[in-house]
Amino acid sequence: MSLVDTIRGKARKTVRRIVLPEGDEPRTAAAAKIIRDEGLADPVLVTPETIAAPSNAATLKRYASALYELRKAKGLTEEGAAKLAADPMYYGMMMVKCGDADGLVSGAVHSTGDMLRPALQIIRTAPGMKLVSSSFLMEMPCADVGENGLLVYADCVVNPCPDAEELANIAVATAETARRLCGMDEPRVAMLSFSTKGSAEHALVAKVRKATEIARGLAPGLLIDGELQFDAALVPEVAALKAKGSPVAGRANVLVFPDLQAGNIGYKITQRLGGASCFAVLQGLAKPCNDLSRGCSVDDIVNTVAATAVQVREA
Ligand code: ACO
């Protein structure tokens, strides 16, 4: 069974309320119908018209007031909060924040930054999590890499320049996503670099090495190793030469890139040249909110909503 089928199956078990703040966007509206018909979630389409409806006035006022309380220390005025709360993206985030929806999916129209910023400001990190990051679930056309062809990449979406501690947090959160969402019983995390086990010395390599040590402290028992080159992480023959005895090298199923440039370029190469099908989820938020690519298909929206519903169930 494909990853998408597994996720859709899990989503059907408990129907979650997922808000779609781009409710007047045609692909989103079409996806909502499929989601409802297939029992994957209870989609709530938010549009400027639904927000402005007279029957919604009390809710809008409640969200504006809650938003003001949340952000007044950051300089948000009551007037500014009222204006923001009427914006579908902020309105949707307030629905999730106030418990009127379980999760949110957006990004068919908005850029990643415009979706991430309100999520970071309003939903914030989950208890015990220091950082929001992302996992890209990559399903390869061949089953002989990763976990039967499934690889989890991070961070390809959120953190431009993570330091060693942030990179360690990304590694641990990604292993958890691999376990919970992808059903990987044994995440094997490779901390990627242009060096394998001391083959090169540079401050960038030292950062990856330090992150590996910090991650070991954060998650004792997690199979993690670094620094490893991409081929040493995935190819047994290369691992045998360059990283003998590593519990991860040659059989990694989770790949942590050293920064956002490497991660974002890496997932796009895997998708475009390697033929992987893929989609992303955010991790570390107090409630699940997920971003779409502006080039997304109806099916991409359906799948991301199903994954969001599963993140609620598994939270
Ligand atoms: N985890 C938790 N909180 C965070 C994080 C994080 N990773 N990053 C920022 N924050 C918090 C800040 O502490 C701040 O909180 P506060 O306002 O309460 O003090 C708030 O979020 C806003 O942070 P800023 O740094 O002011 O916001 P910024 O404008 O820098 O935006 C953002 C943050 C949107 C995540 C930015 O780093 C960004 O644009 N990242 C890249 C997004 C992107 O373009 N990705 C590539 C394309 S996606 C694709 O190809 C699939």
Side-chain angles (χ1 to χ4, degrees):
M1 194 188 281
S2 73
L3 174 68
V4 158
D5 290 336
T6 306
I7 287 175
R8 286 187 180 204
K10 282 187 183 182
R12 277 190 198 96
K13 287 190 180 153
T14 313
V15 175
R16 299 294 182 178
R17 204 155 196 249
I18 307 297
V19 57
L20 300 164
E22 295 165 335
D24 47 11
E25 192 279 322
R27 288 164 297 172
T28 304
K33 185 174 178 328
I34 297 170
I35 292 160
R36 198 174 290 111
D37 289 351
E38 294 195 9
L40 296 170
D42 172 16
V44 185
L45 291 169
V46 170
T47 67
E49 290 71 36
T50 60
I51 295 173
S55 58
N56 196 49
T59 305
L60 181 56
K61 205 169 162 198
R62 177 161 61 90
Y63 290 168
S65 155
L67 182 56
Y68 170 65
E69 289 304 320
L70 273 174
R71 299 295 298 172
K72 65 183 177 189
K74 293 281 170 181
L76 187 65
T77 61
E78 282 185 272
E79 197 188 17
K83 204 170 158 201
L84 274 185
D87 176 304
M89 181 71 80
Y90 279 80
Y91 185 93
M93 292 290 175
M94 291 311 295
M95 283 183 75
V96 176
K97 182 74 178 179
C98 296
D100 297 332
D102 297 309
L104 176 146
V105 172
S106 183
V109 179
H110 291 78
S111 70
T112 298
D114 287 346
M115 181 273 161
L116 275 174
R117 216 166 284 109
L120 296 171
Q121 292 172 348
I122 294 168
I123 307 297
R124 306 198 72 84
T125 49
M129 299 297 295
K130 286 194 176 152
L131 195 74
V132 173
S133 60
S134 69
S135 278
F136 246 99
L137 317 183
M138 313 293 302
E139 209 161 19
M140 303 301 298
C142 53
D144 58 355
V145 286
E147 194 79 10
N148 299 319
L150 181 64
L151 290 164
V152 184
Y153 283 17
D155 173 14
C156 310
V157 179
V158 184
N159 298 281
C161 297
D163 62 20
E165 198 181 340
E166 289 168 338
L167 201 54
N169 276 278
I170 291 168
V172 173
T174 307
E176 206 45 37
T177 296
R179 210 175 265 128
R180 289 183 177 201
L181 194 59
C182 308
M184 284 185 188
D185 294 333
E186 185 189 71
R188 298 180 294 276
V189 184
M191 303 294 279
L192 297 181
S193 172
F194 61 81
S195 165
T196 297
K197 297 287 185 180
S199 64
E201 288 300 333
H202 190 278
L204 295 173
V205 176
K207 178 183 91 167
V208 175
R209 228 175 268 151
K210 187 172 170 197
T212 309
E213 280 317 306
I214 297 171
R216 286 195 177 113
L218 292 173
L222 176 64
L223 288 182
I224 181 166
D225 205 5
E227 84 284 4
L228 295 171
Q229 283 162 288
F230 189 86
D231 54 355
L234 290 183
V235 183
E237 295 76 19
V238 179
L241 281 174
K242 292 188 166 181
K244 214 169 177 192
S246 165
V248 168
R251 54 196 289 266
N253 49 21
V254 174
L255 302 181
V256 176
F257 291 81
D259 67 24
L260 187 54
Q261 304 227 44
N264 192 270
I265 294 166
Y267 105 74
K268 285 180 192 283
I269 290 176
T270 310
Q271 178 189 29
R272 300 289 171 182
L273 299 184
S277 59
C278 60
F279 68 100
V281 291
L282 296 175
Q283 54 204 15
L285 283 166
K287 295 190 179 174
C289 298
N290 283 311
D291 183 39
L292 298 161
S293 154
R294 275 174 285 177
C296 66
S297 65
V298 171
D299 240 26
D300 293 334
I301 303 175
V302 173
N303 293 335
T304 305
V305 167
T308 308
V310 175
Q311 284 182 302
V312 179
R313 206 171 65 80
E314 303 281 352

